[in-house]
Amino acid sequence: MEKYSVQFTDKKKVVKYITSEKDIFEWICKYFKAYYQCSNEIQDHNKGFCVEYIVDKKLFFDLLEEIDNSNNKNFVQGYLDTEYIKCNNYFVSNDKSHMICRMDEKVYIYTPECNFKVGLISMRIIRDIFSKHHENIGEFVLHSGTVGVNGCGITFVGEKNAGKTTAVLTMLKYLKASFISNDKTYIGFGENDMPTVYGWPTTCSIAMGSFNSFPEMVNYITANVLEYPQYVQEDKNPKIEVTSNEIENIFNVPIVSSCISKFLFFPHISQEVGTTLIKACPVEKAQNIILENILTPHDPHYPDFLGFRDRDEDEYREEAKFLASRLAKMIPCYEIHYGYDIVEMSDAVREFLMSQGIRK
């Protein structure tokens, strides 16, 4: 059976991906292409991590039988609240749709049959290796969405339902900003010790109200829904998942993997707001908001159950406090209150950026 292989590189970290499933391979390459250096020629077989997705019914059930007969088992939480049965180096999903095995710098995903949902586990593991590497070198995950305007990173930081995604999409549509990330952004001090934001390659989870505010998005997804792995989250507030590649096509804007951080905005969206208000945020308040939204070391949806971090959680917490303090003092921070009139909001942001010497 033919195998497909690719080598991803980011921040000098190398991850090789191998599978015989062509559709999943192509989707993952497309998903990561804007964020990581990508080569179909694997340069060094002994360098970096290797992640392999293996579809083999007999092998899967043979391994499963061994694990079922073992007494050395316990339960751990995986990505997105998935529960796994852990046995030595093996992690078996609670629904027994797949298992993960980590052996040093090799990670294997086993499944009895090709399943796109299980195939996405490959993507999450590759992304997690890079994510933890960012954290290991002091660039932490911030609960935020980020765009670039004329080479300047503008980050919207806040809790769930604060209005981050609406703000990001508005900037893409009306200011033709570059897309960097939605919901999560790596932030730290890069070259020349400059505050820098880095994209987190993930889908945009968009509430249906916000989704319907952008007709070009509705039209594009409606026309192409069969071509892409699209799905709607079924919960109290249904959301639709849109990939970064789809964002690129819908708004005709580029994806940028990193940018110098220029502003941090703390959004507050409310139907009671008529006119957008942008006001400076005091340093101490900004520091607290940043710290509250740093998801390192504890991101409930992406626990380090495969052990990619290289320090204990207390060290990361101390580093997070220092990072929040430094960012609040070095980057201008603003609160932005706006309503559901996204055209008015975009005009207010454009005027503000022009007043700061940033033109778009």
Side-chain angles (χ1 to χ4, degrees), residues 132-150:
K132 298 303 188 285
H133 179 61
H134 275 272
E135 294 176 333
N136 290 338
I137 61 174
E139 295 162 353
F140 288 1
V141 180
L142 187 64
H143 196 189
S144 59
T146 301
V147 298
V149 178
N150 279 5

Side-chain angles (χ1 to χ4, degrees), residues 281-321:
C281 183
V283 170
E284 186 175 350
K285 183 177 181 180
Q287 180 178 330
N288 289 334
I289 294 173
I290 294 168
L291 185 58
E292 287 169 2
N293 286 282
I294 289 179
L295 297 177
T296 304
H298 182 63
D299 182 343
H301 289 150
Y302 287 89
D304 188 33
F305 75 108
L306 293 175
F308 296 130
R309 287 191 177 130
D310 63 8
R311 299 192 296 287
D312 63 42
E313 290 197 359
D314 287 341
E315 289 185 67
Y316 288 107
R317 288 193 183 95
E318 288 304 311
E319 287 184 39
K321 290 177 185 177

Side-chain angles (χ1 to χ4, degrees), residues 101-159:
C101 175
R102 179 177 176 192
M103 303 287 287
D104 297 321
E105 293 198 329
K106 295 186 183 298
V107 182
Y108 303 97
I109 305 104
Y110 299 102
T111 185
E113 57 187 10
C114 187
N115 178 309
F116 199 90
K117 187 175 180 181
V118 174
L120 294 183
I121 300 296
S122 309
M123 175 270 290
R124 291 179 185 136
I125 290 173
I126 294 167
R127 184 177 61 197
D128 195 32
I129 292 169
F130 286 124
S131 175
K132 298 303 188 285
H133 179 61
H134 275 272
E135 294 176 333
N136 290 338
I137 61 174
E139 295 162 353
F140 288 1
V141 180
L142 187 64
H143 196 189
S144 59
T146 301
V147 298
V149 178
N150 279 5
C152 300
I154 299 170
T155 300
F156 297 90
V157 184
E159 297 290 343

Side-chain angles (χ1 to χ4, degrees), residues 160-339:
K160 187 177 181 180
N161 298 322
K164 301 186 299 297
T165 299
T166 299
V168 166
L169 297 178
T170 299
M171 297 284 283
L172 298 179
K173 176 173 180 175
Y174 293 103
L175 275 71
K176 288 300 173 185
S178 304
F179 179 73
I180 296 177
S181 193
N182 179 70
D183 196 51
K184 294 178 182 179
T185 308
Y186 308 117
I187 189 165
F189 289 84
E191 259 183 74
N192 301 319
D193 208 32
M194 295 293 291
T196 307
V197 283
Y198 305 89
W200 165 289
T202 187
T203 55
C204 296
S205 184
I206 305 171
M208 296 307 293
S210 296
F211 179 74
N212 290 324
S213 297
F214 298 90
E216 58 272 80
M217 184 178 291
V218 175
N219 294 337
Y220 183 91
I221 296 302
T222 301
N224 295 279
V225 68
L226 296 178
E227 185 179 343
Y228 295 93
Q230 212 68 50
Y231 64 93
V232 176
Q233 294 178 337
E234 296 294 342
D235 56 20
K236 293 179 182 177
N237 301 299
K239 295 185 177 182
I240 190 164
E241 300 284 324
V242 181
T243 69
S244 53
N245 299 111
E246 290 164 354
I247 290 289
E248 181 181 29
N249 293 331
I250 290 165
F251 295 105
N252 192 27
V253 296
I255 301 174
V256 176
S257 61
S258 66
C259 207
I260 300 299
S261 182
K262 184 68 174 178
F263 298 108
L264 297 181
F265 282 108
F266 307 129
H268 305 273
I269 187 170
S270 170
Q271 62 182 358
E272 298 175 3
V273 176
T275 303
T276 298
L277 172 65
I278 300 174
K279 62 178 183 180
C281 183
V283 170
E284 186 175 350
K285 183 177 181 180
Q287 180 178 330
N288 289 334
I289 294 173
I290 294 168
L291 185 58
E292 287 169 2
N293 286 282
I294 289 179
L295 297 177
T296 304
H298 182 63
D299 182 343
H301 289 150
Y302 287 89
D304 188 33
F305 75 108
L306 293 175
F308 296 130
R309 287 191 177 130
D310 63 8
R311 299 192 296 287
D312 63 42
E313 290 197 359
D314 287 341
E315 289 185 67
Y316 288 107
R317 288 193 183 95
E318 288 304 311
E319 287 184 39
K321 290 177 185 177
F322 179 73
L323 178 64
S325 173
R326 199 174 176 204
L327 292 172
K329 291 171 182 175
M330 289 189 66
I331 305 173
C333 299
Y334 294 87
E335 295 181 62
I336 176 168
H337 299 259
Y338 62 97

